[in-house]
């Protein structure tokens, strides 16, 4: 399983590849890179490291006492 977090603010990433992180640990700051309409986080889980050929994997997120099972294109706003 591989993950991709996109649109983080440039030079804000505080972790390194293969590092084990804890729940709630800051990994970077929201940014507005590419052609995005505003600061946000694009979170994607996939079956290989290559973004262009990987297949997406289903996930369930647990936050604020709720569970989310987003589908392709879904947006979750807090």
């Amino acid at each position: 399983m591989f993950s991709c977090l996109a649109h983080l603010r440039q030079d804000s990433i505080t972790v390194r590849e293969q590092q084990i992180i804890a729940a709630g640990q800051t990994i970077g700051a929201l940014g507005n890179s590419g052609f995005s309409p505003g600061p946000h986080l694009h979170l994607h889980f996939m079956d290989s490291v290559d973004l262009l050929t990987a297949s997406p994997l289903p996930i369930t997120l647990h936050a604020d006492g709720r569970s989310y099972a987003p589908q392709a294109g879904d947006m979750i706003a807090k």
Side-chain angles (χ1 to χ4, degrees):
M1 177 185 294
F2 298 86
S3 63
C4 173
L5 287 80
H7 303 295
L8 292 171
R9 186 179 323 150
Q10 187 171 4
D11 300 322
S12 73
I13 297 172
T14 60
V15 296
R16 60 189 184 283
E17 190 173 339
Q18 300 292 323
Q19 179 180 339
I20 296 173
I21 58 173
Q25 180 178 345
T26 299
I27 59 172
L30 289 180
N32 187 23
S33 64
F35 297 104
S36 63
H40 72 287
L41 177 66
H42 176 117
L43 174 62
H44 183 81
F45 289 91
M46 56 206 167
D47 66 357
S48 80
V49 71
D50 186 345
L51 283 168
L52 299 177
T53 62
S55 294
L57 297 174
I59 61 167
T60 300
L61 304 171
H62 303 281
D64 300 325
R66 297 179 59 194
S67 293
Y68 306 91
Q71 301 300 306
D74 285 355
M75 296 181 74
I76 300 172
K78 181 172 181 181

Short mmCIF file of all heavy atoms in Angstrom, two decimals:
data_model
loop_
_atom_site.label_atom_id
_atom_site.label_comp_id
_atom_site.label_asym_id
_atom_site.label_seq_id
_atom_site.Cartn_x
_atom_site.Cartn_y
_atom_site.Cartn_z
N MET A 1 0.85 -1.17 0.00
CA MET A 1 0.00 0.00 0.00
C MET A 1 0.90 1.23 0.00
O MET A 1 1.86 1.31 0.76
CB MET A 1 -0.90 0.02 1.23
CG MET A 1 -1.75 1.26 1.30
SD MET A 1 -2.75 1.43 2.79
CE MET A 1 -3.86 0.09 2.63
N PHE A 2 0.56 2.17 -0.85
CA PHE A 2 1.29 3.42 -0.94
C PHE A 2 0.31 4.57 -0.79
O PHE A 2 -0.87 4.43 -1.14
CB PHE A 2 2.01 3.53 -2.29
CG PHE A 2 3.03 2.45 -2.50
CD1 PHE A 2 2.66 1.22 -3.02
CD2 PHE A 2 4.35 2.66 -2.16
CE1 PHE A 2 3.59 0.21 -3.21
CE2 PHE A 2 5.30 1.67 -2.35
CZ PHE A 2 4.91 0.45 -2.87
N SER A 3 0.78 5.67 -0.27
CA SER A 3 -0.09 6.85 -0.13
C SER A 3 0.57 8.05 -0.78
O SER A 3 1.78 8.13 -0.91
CB SER A 3 -0.37 7.14 1.34
OG SER A 3 0.81 7.45 2.03
N CYS A 4 -0.28 8.96 -1.20
CA CYS A 4 0.17 10.21 -1.79
C CYS A 4 -0.59 11.35 -1.13
O CYS A 4 -1.82 11.32 -1.06
CB CYS A 4 -0.09 10.20 -3.29
SG CYS A 4 0.26 11.77 -4.09
N LEU A 5 0.13 12.32 -0.62
CA LEU A 5 -0.48 13.52 -0.08
C LEU A 5 -0.01 14.67 -0.96
O LEU A 5 1.18 14.96 -1.02
CB LEU A 5 -0.05 13.75 1.37
CG LEU A 5 -0.68 12.80 2.39
CD1 LEU A 5 0.03 11.48 2.38
CD2 LEU A 5 -0.67 13.42 3.75
N ALA A 6 -0.93 15.29 -1.64
CA ALA A 6 -0.57 16.32 -2.60
C ALA A 6 -1.09 17.69 -2.18
O ALA A 6 -2.06 17.79 -1.44
CB ALA A 6 -1.12 15.95 -3.98
N HIS A 7 -0.46 18.70 -2.70
CA HIS A 7 -0.79 20.11 -2.49
C HIS A 7 -0.30 20.64 -1.14
O HIS A 7 -0.80 21.66 -0.67
CB HIS A 7 -2.29 20.39 -2.67
CG HIS A 7 -2.81 19.97 -4.00
ND1 HIS A 7 -2.41 20.55 -5.18
CD2 HIS A 7 -3.70 19.00 -4.35
CE1 HIS A 7 -3.03 19.97 -6.18
NE2 HIS A 7 -3.80 19.01 -5.71
N LEU A 8 0.68 19.96 -0.53
CA LEU A 8 1.27 20.50 0.69
C LEU A 8 2.11 21.73 0.35
O LEU A 8 2.64 21.86 -0.74
CB LEU A 8 2.14 19.46 1.38
CG LEU A 8 1.39 18.27 1.98
CD1 LEU A 8 2.37 17.20 2.44
CD2 LEU A 8 0.50 18.71 3.12
N ARG A 9 2.21 22.65 1.30
CA ARG A 9 3.00 23.86 1.09
C ARG A 9 4.46 23.49 0.87
O ARG A 9 5.02 22.66 1.58
CB ARG A 9 2.89 24.79 2.30
CG ARG A 9 3.58 26.12 2.06
CD ARG A 9 3.48 27.09 3.22
NE ARG A 9 2.20 27.02 3.88
CZ ARG A 9 2.04 27.28 5.18
NH1 ARG A 9 3.06 27.62 5.93
NH2 ARG A 9 0.84 27.21 5.73
N GLN A 10 5.08 24.10 -0.11
CA GLN A 10 6.48 23.84 -0.44
C GLN A 10 7.37 24.04 0.80
O GLN A 10 7.21 25.00 1.54
CB GLN A 10 6.95 24.76 -1.56
CG GLN A 10 8.32 24.43 -2.07
CD GLN A 10 8.67 25.21 -3.34
OE1 GLN A 10 7.92 26.07 -3.78
NE2 GLN A 10 9.81 24.91 -3.90
N ASP A 11 8.29 23.12 1.01
CA ASP A 11 9.26 23.15 2.11
C ASP A 11 8.62 23.02 3.49
O ASP A 11 9.24 23.35 4.50
CB ASP A 11 10.13 24.41 2.06
CG ASP A 11 10.93 24.52 0.77
OD1 ASP A 11 11.42 23.48 0.30
OD2 ASP A 11 11.05 25.64 0.24
N SER A 12 7.37 22.52 3.58
CA SER A 12 6.72 22.39 4.89
C SER A 12 6.75 20.96 5.42
O SER A 12 6.36 20.72 6.56
CB SER A 12 5.26 22.86 4.81
OG SER A 12 4.46 21.91 4.10
N ILE A 13 7.20 20.00 4.63
CA ILE A 13 7.16 18.59 5.05
C ILE A 13 8.17 18.36 6.17
O ILE A 13 9.33 18.73 6.07
CB ILE A 13 7.43 17.67 3.85
CG1 ILE A 13 6.32 17.86 2.82
CG2 ILE A 13 7.52 16.22 4.29
CD1 ILE A 13 6.56 17.16 1.51
N THR A 14 7.69 17.74 7.26
CA THR A 14 8.51 17.55 8.45
C THR A 14 8.91 16.08 8.68
O THR A 14 9.52 15.77 9.69
CB THR A 14 7.76 18.05 9.70
OG1 THR A 14 6.55 17.30 9.84
CG2 THR A 14 7.44 19.53 9.59
N VAL A 15 8.53 15.19 7.76
CA VAL A 15 8.88 13.77 7.89
C VAL A 15 9.69 13.35 6.68
O VAL A 15 9.79 14.07 5.70
CB VAL A 15 7.60 12.90 8.01
CG1 VAL A 15 6.86 13.23 9.29
CG2 VAL A 15 6.70 13.07 6.81
N ARG A 16 10.26 12.15 6.76
CA ARG A 16 11.06 11.65 5.64
C ARG A 16 10.50 10.30 5.19
O ARG A 16 9.74 9.66 5.91
CB ARG A 16 12.53 11.55 6.02
CG ARG A 16 12.80 10.62 7.16
CD ARG A 16 14.25 10.71 7.64
NE ARG A 16 14.48 9.73 8.66
CZ ARG A 16 14.08 9.83 9.92
NH1 ARG A 16 13.43 10.90 10.33
NH2 ARG A 16 14.31 8.86 10.79
N GLU A 17 10.89 9.87 4.02
CA GLU A 17 10.42 8.62 3.45
C GLU A 17 10.73 7.46 4.39
O GLU A 17 11.80 7.40 5.00
CB GLU A 17 11.12 8.40 2.10
CG GLU A 17 10.56 7.26 1.31
CD GLU A 17 11.15 7.18 -0.09
OE1 GLU A 17 11.68 8.18 -0.58
OE2 GLU A 17 11.07 6.09 -0.67
N GLN A 18 9.77 6.54 4.52
CA GLN A 18 9.87 5.32 5.34
C GLN A 18 9.78 5.60 6.85
O GLN A 18 9.91 4.68 7.65
CB GLN A 18 11.14 4.53 5.03
CG GLN A 18 11.24 4.07 3.59
CD GLN A 18 10.20 3.02 3.23
OE1 GLN A 18 9.86 2.16 4.02
NE2 GLN A 18 9.68 3.13 2.02
N GLN A 19 9.62 6.84 7.26
CA GLN A 19 9.52 7.16 8.69
C GLN A 19 8.17 6.70 9.23
O GLN A 19 7.14 6.86 8.57
CB GLN A 19 9.65 8.67 8.90
CG GLN A 19 9.55 9.09 10.35
CD GLN A 19 9.70 10.60 10.52
OE1 GLN A 19 10.24 11.28 9.65
NE2 GLN A 19 9.23 11.12 11.63
N ILE A 20 8.18 6.12 10.42
CA ILE A 20 6.93 5.77 11.10
C ILE A 20 6.43 7.02 11.80
O ILE A 20 7.18 7.69 12.52
CB ILE A 20 7.16 4.62 12.10
CG1 ILE A 20 7.58 3.36 11.33
CG2 ILE A 20 5.90 4.37 12.92
CD1 ILE A 20 7.99 2.21 12.21
N ILE A 21 5.15 7.34 11.57
CA ILE A 21 4.59 8.53 12.19
C ILE A 21 3.45 8.14 13.12
O ILE A 21 2.86 7.07 12.99
CB ILE A 21 4.08 9.54 11.13
CG1 ILE A 21 3.04 8.91 10.22
CG2 ILE A 21 5.25 10.07 10.31
CD1 ILE A 21 2.39 9.88 9.29
N ALA A 22 3.15 9.00 14.07
CA ALA A 22 2.11 8.75 15.05
C ALA A 22 0.83 9.51 14.68
O ALA A 22 0.89 10.54 14.00
CB ALA A 22 2.58 9.21 16.43
N ALA A 23 -0.29 8.98 15.12
CA ALA A 23 -1.56 9.67 14.89
C ALA A 23 -1.48 11.07 15.48
O ALA A 23 -0.99 11.27 16.59
CB ALA A 23 -2.70 8.89 15.55
N GLY A 24 -1.89 12.04 14.70
CA GLY A 24 -1.88 13.43 15.15
C GLY A 24 -0.58 14.16 14.90
O GLY A 24 -0.50 15.37 15.12
N GLN A 25 0.44 13.45 14.44
CA GLN A 25 1.73 14.09 14.17
C GLN A 25 1.63 14.97 12.93
O GLN A 25 1.06 14.59 11.92
CB GLN A 25 2.80 13.02 13.95
CG GLN A 25 4.17 13.57 13.68
CD GLN A 25 5.21 12.47 13.51
OE1 GLN A 25 4.98 11.31 13.86
NE2 GLN A 25 6.36 12.82 12.95
N THR A 26 2.18 16.17 13.00
CA THR A 26 2.20 17.07 11.85
C THR A 26 3.19 16.54 10.83
O THR A 26 4.33 16.23 11.16
CB THR A 26 2.60 18.49 12.28
OG1 THR A 26 1.63 18.98 13.21
CG2 THR A 26 2.68 19.43 11.09
N ILE A 27 2.75 16.45 9.58
CA ILE A 27 3.63 15.98 8.51
C ILE A 27 3.92 17.07 7.49
O ILE A 27 4.82 16.95 6.68
CB ILE A 27 3.06 14.74 7.81
CG1 ILE A 27 1.69 15.04 7.22
CG2 ILE A 27 2.99 13.57 8.78
CD1 ILE A 27 1.16 13.92 6.37
N GLY A 28 3.15 18.15 7.51
CA GLY A 28 3.34 19.25 6.58
C GLY A 28 2.19 20.24 6.72
O GLY A 28 1.27 20.02 7.50
N ALA A 29 2.26 21.31 5.96
CA ALA A 29 1.23 22.36 6.02
C ALA A 29 0.44 22.38 4.71
O ALA A 29 0.99 22.13 3.63
CB ALA A 29 1.89 23.71 6.24
N LEU A 30 -0.84 22.66 4.81
CA LEU A 30 -1.67 22.77 3.62
C LEU A 30 -1.13 23.82 2.68
O LEU A 30 -0.63 24.86 3.10
CB LEU A 30 -3.11 23.14 3.99
CG LEU A 30 -3.93 22.08 4.68
CD1 LEU A 30 -5.33 22.62 4.98
CD2 LEU A 30 -4.03 20.82 3.86
N GLY A 31 -1.26 23.54 1.41
CA GLY A 31 -0.79 24.48 0.42
C GLY A 31 -1.77 24.62 -0.72
O GLY A 31 -2.91 24.16 -0.64
N ASN A 32 -1.32 25.24 -1.78
CA ASN A 32 -2.18 25.51 -2.93
C ASN A 32 -1.36 25.35 -4.20
O ASN A 32 -1.24 26.27 -5.00
CB ASN A 32 -2.76 26.93 -2.81
CG ASN A 32 -3.78 27.22 -3.87
OD1 ASN A 32 -4.39 26.31 -4.41
ND2 ASN A 32 -3.98 28.48 -4.17
N SER A 33 -0.78 24.17 -4.38
CA SER A 33 0.09 23.94 -5.54
C SER A 33 -0.71 23.49 -6.74
O SER A 33 -1.87 23.09 -6.64
CB SER A 33 1.16 22.90 -5.19
OG SER A 33 0.54 21.65 -4.92
N GLY A 34 -0.09 23.54 -7.90
CA GLY A 34 -0.76 23.11 -9.12
C GLY A 34 -1.87 24.07 -9.50
O GLY A 34 -1.76 25.28 -9.32
N PHE A 35 -2.96 23.51 -9.98
CA PHE A 35 -4.09 24.32 -10.43
C PHE A 35 -5.24 24.24 -9.43
O PHE A 35 -6.41 24.34 -9.81
CB PHE A 35 -4.55 23.86 -11.81
CG PHE A 35 -3.50 24.06 -12.86
CD1 PHE A 35 -2.78 22.99 -13.34
CD2 PHE A 35 -3.21 25.33 -13.34
CE1 PHE A 35 -1.80 23.17 -14.32
CE2 PHE A 35 -2.23 25.52 -14.30
CZ PHE A 35 -1.53 24.44 -14.79
N SER A 36 -4.95 24.04 -8.16
CA SER A 36 -6.00 23.90 -7.16
C SER A 36 -6.65 25.26 -6.87
O SER A 36 -6.02 26.29 -6.97
CB SER A 36 -5.44 23.28 -5.88
OG SER A 36 -4.48 24.12 -5.30
N PRO A 37 -7.94 25.24 -6.49
CA PRO A 37 -8.66 26.48 -6.25
C PRO A 37 -8.33 27.14 -4.91
O PRO A 37 -8.66 28.29 -4.69
CB PRO A 37 -10.13 26.05 -6.28
CG PRO A 37 -10.10 24.62 -5.87
CD PRO A 37 -8.80 24.07 -6.40
N GLY A 38 -7.70 26.40 -4.01
CA GLY A 38 -7.34 26.95 -2.71
C GLY A 38 -6.62 25.90 -1.89
O GLY A 38 -6.50 24.74 -2.31
N PRO A 39 -6.11 26.27 -0.72
CA PRO A 39 -5.39 25.31 0.12
C PRO A 39 -6.26 24.10 0.48
O PRO A 39 -7.41 24.26 0.89
CB PRO A 39 -5.03 26.12 1.37
CG PRO A 39 -5.07 27.54 0.92
CD PRO A 39 -6.15 27.60 -0.12
N HIS A 40 -5.72 22.92 0.28
CA HIS A 40 -6.40 21.69 0.62
C HIS A 40 -5.40 20.54 0.58
O HIS A 40 -4.27 20.71 0.18
CB HIS A 40 -7.56 21.42 -0.34
CG HIS A 40 -7.12 21.01 -1.70
ND1 HIS A 40 -6.56 21.90 -2.62
CD2 HIS A 40 -7.11 19.80 -2.32
CE1 HIS A 40 -6.26 21.26 -3.73
NE2 HIS A 40 -6.58 19.97 -3.57
N LEU A 41 -5.85 19.36 1.02
CA LEU A 41 -5.01 18.17 0.99
C LEU A 41 -5.67 17.13 0.10
O LEU A 41 -6.85 16.82 0.25
CB LEU A 41 -4.84 17.59 2.40
CG LEU A 41 -4.05 16.29 2.49
CD1 LEU A 41 -2.60 16.53 2.09
CD2 LEU A 41 -4.14 15.73 3.89
N HIS A 42 -4.91 16.60 -0.82
CA HIS A 42 -5.36 15.49 -1.67
C HIS A 42 -4.71 14.24 -1.09
O HIS A 42 -3.48 14.13 -1.08
CB HIS A 42 -4.90 15.73 -3.11
CG HIS A 42 -5.23 14.62 -4.03
ND1 HIS A 42 -6.06 14.77 -5.11
CD2 HIS A 42 -4.84 13.32 -4.05
CE1 HIS A 42 -6.17 13.63 -5.75
NE2 HIS A 42 -5.43 12.73 -5.13
N LEU A 43 -5.52 13.32 -0.59
CA LEU A 43 -5.04 12.08 0.03
C LEU A 43 -5.46 10.91 -0.85
O LEU A 43 -6.64 10.76 -1.16
CB LEU A 43 -5.63 11.93 1.43
CG LEU A 43 -5.36 10.65 2.19
CD1 LEU A 43 -3.86 10.48 2.43
CD2 LEU A 43 -6.12 10.67 3.51
N HIS A 44 -4.48 10.10 -1.26
CA HIS A 44 -4.74 9.02 -2.20
C HIS A 44 -3.97 7.78 -1.75
O HIS A 44 -2.78 7.86 -1.49
CB HIS A 44 -4.27 9.49 -3.59
CG HIS A 44 -4.52 8.54 -4.68
ND1 HIS A 44 -5.74 8.43 -5.30
CD2 HIS A 44 -3.71 7.64 -5.30
CE1 HIS A 44 -5.67 7.51 -6.25
NE2 HIS A 44 -4.45 7.02 -6.27
N PHE A 45 -4.65 6.65 -1.68
CA PHE A 45 -4.00 5.37 -1.38
C PHE A 45 -4.05 4.51 -2.64
O PHE A 45 -5.06 4.48 -3.34
CB PHE A 45 -4.69 4.65 -0.22
CG PHE A 45 -4.44 5.33 1.09
CD1 PHE A 45 -5.29 6.31 1.55
CD2 PHE A 45 -3.33 5.01 1.85
CE1 PHE A 45 -5.06 6.95 2.76
CE2 PHE A 45 -3.08 5.63 3.05
CZ PHE A 45 -3.96 6.61 3.51
N MET A 46 -2.95 3.82 -2.93
CA MET A 46 -2.84 3.08 -4.18
C MET A 46 -2.01 1.81 -4.01
O MET A 46 -1.34 1.64 -2.99
CB MET A 46 -2.25 3.99 -5.25
CG MET A 46 -0.93 4.59 -4.87
SD MET A 46 -0.66 6.13 -5.74
CE MET A 46 0.74 6.75 -4.81
N ASP A 47 -2.03 0.96 -5.05
CA ASP A 47 -1.37 -0.34 -4.94
C ASP A 47 0.07 -0.38 -5.45
O ASP A 47 0.71 -1.42 -5.40
CB ASP A 47 -2.19 -1.42 -5.64
CG ASP A 47 -2.29 -1.23 -7.15
OD1 ASP A 47 -1.76 -0.22 -7.68
OD2 ASP A 47 -2.90 -2.09 -7.80
N SER A 48 0.60 0.73 -5.95
CA SER A 48 2.01 0.79 -6.34
C SER A 48 2.50 2.22 -6.21
O SER A 48 1.71 3.14 -6.03
CB SER A 48 2.24 0.26 -7.76
OG SER A 48 1.91 1.23 -8.73
N VAL A 49 3.78 2.40 -6.31
CA VAL A 49 4.38 3.71 -6.09
C VAL A 49 4.19 4.66 -7.28
O VAL A 49 4.28 5.86 -7.13
CB VAL A 49 5.87 3.55 -5.73
CG1 VAL A 49 6.68 3.10 -6.92
CG2 VAL A 49 6.44 4.81 -5.12
N ASP A 50 3.90 4.13 -8.46
CA ASP A 50 3.77 4.95 -9.67
C ASP A 50 2.37 5.55 -9.77
O ASP A 50 1.40 4.85 -10.06
CB ASP A 50 4.09 4.10 -10.89
CG ASP A 50 4.13 4.90 -12.18
OD1 ASP A 50 3.64 6.05 -12.21
OD2 ASP A 50 4.65 4.38 -13.18
N LEU A 51 2.27 6.86 -9.59
CA LEU A 51 0.97 7.53 -9.63
C LEU A 51 0.24 7.33 -10.96
O LEU A 51 -0.99 7.34 -11.01
CB LEU A 51 1.14 9.03 -9.38
CG LEU A 51 1.36 9.47 -7.95
CD1 LEU A 51 1.80 10.92 -7.91
CD2 LEU A 51 0.12 9.26 -7.12
N LEU A 52 0.98 7.19 -12.03
CA LEU A 52 0.36 7.09 -13.35
C LEU A 52 -0.22 5.72 -13.66
O LEU A 52 -1.13 5.59 -14.48
CB LEU A 52 1.36 7.50 -14.43
CG LEU A 52 1.90 8.92 -14.34
CD1 LEU A 52 2.94 9.17 -15.41
CD2 LEU A 52 0.76 9.93 -14.43
N THR A 53 0.31 4.67 -13.02
CA THR A 53 -0.17 3.32 -13.34
C THR A 53 -0.84 2.63 -12.15
O THR A 53 -1.43 1.57 -12.33
CB THR A 53 0.99 2.44 -13.83
OG1 THR A 53 1.97 2.32 -12.79
CG2 THR A 53 1.62 3.01 -15.08
N ALA A 54 -0.78 3.19 -10.97
CA ALA A 54 -1.33 2.56 -9.77
C ALA A 54 -2.86 2.54 -9.80
O ALA A 54 -3.49 3.41 -10.39
CB ALA A 54 -0.86 3.30 -8.53
N SER A 55 -3.42 1.54 -9.15
CA SER A 55 -4.87 1.47 -8.96
C SER A 55 -5.20 1.99 -7.57
O SER A 55 -4.47 1.71 -6.61
CB SER A 55 -5.36 0.03 -9.09
OG SER A 55 -5.17 -0.44 -10.40
N PRO A 56 -6.30 2.75 -7.45
CA PRO A 56 -6.67 3.26 -6.13
C PRO A 56 -7.12 2.14 -5.21
O PRO A 56 -7.65 1.12 -5.66
CB PRO A 56 -7.81 4.23 -6.43
CG PRO A 56 -8.36 3.78 -7.73
CD PRO A 56 -7.23 3.15 -8.49
N LEU A 57 -6.91 2.32 -3.91
CA LEU A 57 -7.35 1.35 -2.91
C LEU A 57 -8.44 1.99 -2.04
O LEU A 57 -8.37 3.18 -1.72
CB LEU A 57 -6.17 0.94 -2.02
CG LEU A 57 -5.02 0.22 -2.72
CD1 LEU A 57 -3.87 0.01 -1.75
CD2 LEU A 57 -5.50 -1.11 -3.28
N PRO A 58 -9.45 1.20 -1.65
CA PRO A 58 -10.49 1.75 -0.77
C PRO A 58 -9.93 1.99 0.63
O PRO A 58 -9.08 1.24 1.10
CB PRO A 58 -11.55 0.65 -0.77
CG PRO A 58 -10.79 -0.60 -1.08
CD PRO A 58 -9.65 -0.19 -1.98
N ILE A 59 -10.40 3.04 1.25
CA ILE A 59 -9.97 3.36 2.61
C ILE A 59 -11.17 3.80 3.42
O ILE A 59 -12.20 4.20 2.88
CB ILE A 59 -8.90 4.46 2.65
CG1 ILE A 59 -9.45 5.76 2.05
CG2 ILE A 59 -7.63 4.03 1.96
CD1 ILE A 59 -8.59 6.98 2.33
N THR A 60 -11.03 3.73 4.73
CA THR A 60 -12.00 4.31 5.65
C THR A 60 -11.22 5.22 6.59
O THR A 60 -10.22 4.79 7.18
CB THR A 60 -12.74 3.23 6.46
OG1 THR A 60 -13.43 2.37 5.55
CG2 THR A 60 -13.74 3.86 7.41
N LEU A 61 -11.64 6.45 6.68
CA LEU A 61 -11.00 7.43 7.56
C LEU A 61 -11.84 7.59 8.82
O LEU A 61 -13.08 7.60 8.74
CB LEU A 61 -10.89 8.78 6.85
CG LEU A 61 -10.16 8.79 5.51
CD1 LEU A 61 -10.31 10.14 4.84
CD2 LEU A 61 -8.69 8.46 5.72
N HIS A 62 -11.18 7.72 9.95
CA HIS A 62 -11.87 7.94 11.22
C HIS A 62 -11.38 9.27 11.79
O HIS A 62 -10.19 9.42 12.06
CB HIS A 62 -11.57 6.81 12.20
CG HIS A 62 -11.93 5.46 11.66
ND1 HIS A 62 -13.22 4.98 11.65
CD2 HIS A 62 -11.18 4.49 11.09
CE1 HIS A 62 -13.24 3.78 11.10
NE2 HIS A 62 -12.01 3.46 10.76
N ALA A 63 -12.29 10.22 11.94
CA ALA A 63 -11.92 11.53 12.46
C ALA A 63 -13.12 12.16 13.16
O ALA A 63 -14.25 12.04 12.69
CB ALA A 63 -11.44 12.43 11.33
N ASP A 64 -12.85 12.82 14.24
CA ASP A 64 -13.89 13.54 14.98
C ASP A 64 -15.08 12.65 15.33
O ASP A 64 -16.23 13.07 15.27
CB ASP A 64 -14.36 14.77 14.20
CG ASP A 64 -13.24 15.75 13.93
OD1 ASP A 64 -12.36 15.89 14.80
OD2 ASP A 64 -13.24 16.38 12.86
N GLY A 65 -14.81 11.37 15.66
CA GLY A 65 -15.87 10.46 16.05
C GLY A 65 -16.73 9.95 14.90
O GLY A 65 -17.76 9.33 15.13
N ARG A 66 -16.32 10.21 13.67
CA ARG A 66 -17.08 9.78 12.50
C ARG A 66 -16.19 8.93 11.59
O ARG A 66 -14.97 9.04 11.64
CB ARG A 66 -17.60 10.98 11.72
CG ARG A 66 -18.59 11.82 12.52
CD ARG A 66 -19.09 13.02 11.77
NE ARG A 66 -19.75 12.60 10.53
CZ ARG A 66 -20.05 13.44 9.55
NH1 ARG A 66 -19.78 14.71 9.65
NH2 ARG A 66 -20.64 13.01 8.46
N SER A 67 -16.80 8.11 10.75
CA SER A 67 -16.08 7.32 9.76
C SER A 67 -16.47 7.78 8.37
O SER A 67 -17.64 8.09 8.12
CB SER A 67 -16.41 5.83 9.91
OG SER A 67 -15.90 5.34 11.12
N TYR A 68 -15.50 7.83 7.49
CA TYR A 68 -15.71 8.23 6.10
C TYR A 68 -15.11 7.18 5.19
O TYR A 68 -13.98 6.75 5.42
CB TYR A 68 -15.02 9.57 5.81
CG TYR A 68 -15.39 10.69 6.74
CD1 TYR A 68 -14.64 10.93 7.88
CD2 TYR A 68 -16.46 11.52 6.47
CE1 TYR A 68 -14.97 11.97 8.75
CE2 TYR A 68 -16.79 12.57 7.32
CZ TYR A 68 -16.04 12.79 8.45
OH TYR A 68 -16.37 13.81 9.29
N ALA A 69 -15.84 6.80 4.16
CA ALA A 69 -15.31 5.87 3.15
C ALA A 69 -15.43 6.57 1.81
O ALA A 69 -16.33 6.29 1.01
CB ALA A 69 -16.09 4.57 3.16
N PRO A 70 -14.52 7.51 1.54
CA PRO A 70 -14.65 8.31 0.32
C PRO A 70 -14.46 7.49 -0.94
O PRO A 70 -13.70 6.52 -0.97
CB PRO A 70 -13.52 9.34 0.47
CG PRO A 70 -12.56 8.73 1.41
CD PRO A 70 -13.33 7.85 2.31
N GLN A 71 -15.16 7.89 -1.98
CA GLN A 71 -15.04 7.31 -3.30
C GLN A 71 -14.30 8.31 -4.18
O GLN A 71 -14.16 9.48 -3.84
CB GLN A 71 -16.41 7.00 -3.88
CG GLN A 71 -17.23 6.05 -3.02
CD GLN A 71 -16.57 4.71 -2.82
OE1 GLN A 71 -16.20 4.04 -3.78
NE2 GLN A 71 -16.38 4.31 -1.57
N ALA A 72 -13.86 7.89 -5.35
CA ALA A 72 -13.12 8.77 -6.26
C ALA A 72 -13.86 10.09 -6.47
O ALA A 72 -15.06 10.09 -6.77
CB ALA A 72 -12.90 8.08 -7.60
N GLY A 73 -13.17 11.18 -6.25
CA GLY A 73 -13.74 12.50 -6.47
C GLY A 73 -14.46 13.09 -5.28
O GLY A 73 -14.83 14.26 -5.30
N ASP A 74 -14.69 12.30 -4.22
CA ASP A 74 -15.36 12.83 -3.04
C ASP A 74 -14.50 13.86 -2.33
O ASP A 74 -13.28 13.74 -2.31
CB ASP A 74 -15.69 11.72 -2.04
CG ASP A 74 -16.86 10.87 -2.45
OD1 ASP A 74 -17.50 11.18 -3.47
OD2 ASP A 74 -17.15 9.89 -1.73
N MET A 75 -15.15 14.84 -1.75
CA MET A 75 -14.46 15.83 -0.95
C MET A 75 -15.02 15.77 0.47
O MET A 75 -16.24 15.70 0.65
CB MET A 75 -14.65 17.23 -1.54
CG MET A 75 -14.03 17.37 -2.91
SD MET A 75 -14.24 19.01 -3.58
CE MET A 75 -13.06 19.92 -2.60
N ILE A 76 -14.14 15.78 1.44
CA ILE A 76 -14.54 15.80 2.84
C ILE A 76 -14.08 17.12 3.42
O ILE A 76 -12.88 17.42 3.42
CB ILE A 76 -13.93 14.63 3.61
CG1 ILE A 76 -14.37 13.30 3.00
CG2 ILE A 76 -14.30 14.70 5.09
CD1 ILE A 76 -13.68 12.09 3.57
N ALA A 77 -14.99 17.91 3.89
CA ALA A 77 -14.65 19.22 4.46
C ALA A 77 -14.93 19.21 5.94
O ALA A 77 -15.89 18.58 6.41
CB ALA A 77 -15.45 20.32 3.77
N LYS A 78 -14.11 19.90 6.67
CA LYS A 78 -14.32 19.98 8.11
C LYS A 78 -14.86 21.34 8.44
O LYS A 78 -14.55 22.33 7.87
CB LYS A 78 -13.00 19.76 8.85
CG LYS A 78 -13.16 19.80 10.33
CD LYS A 78 -11.90 19.39 11.02
CE LYS A 78 -12.15 19.43 12.51
NZ LYS A 78 -11.01 19.08 13.27
#
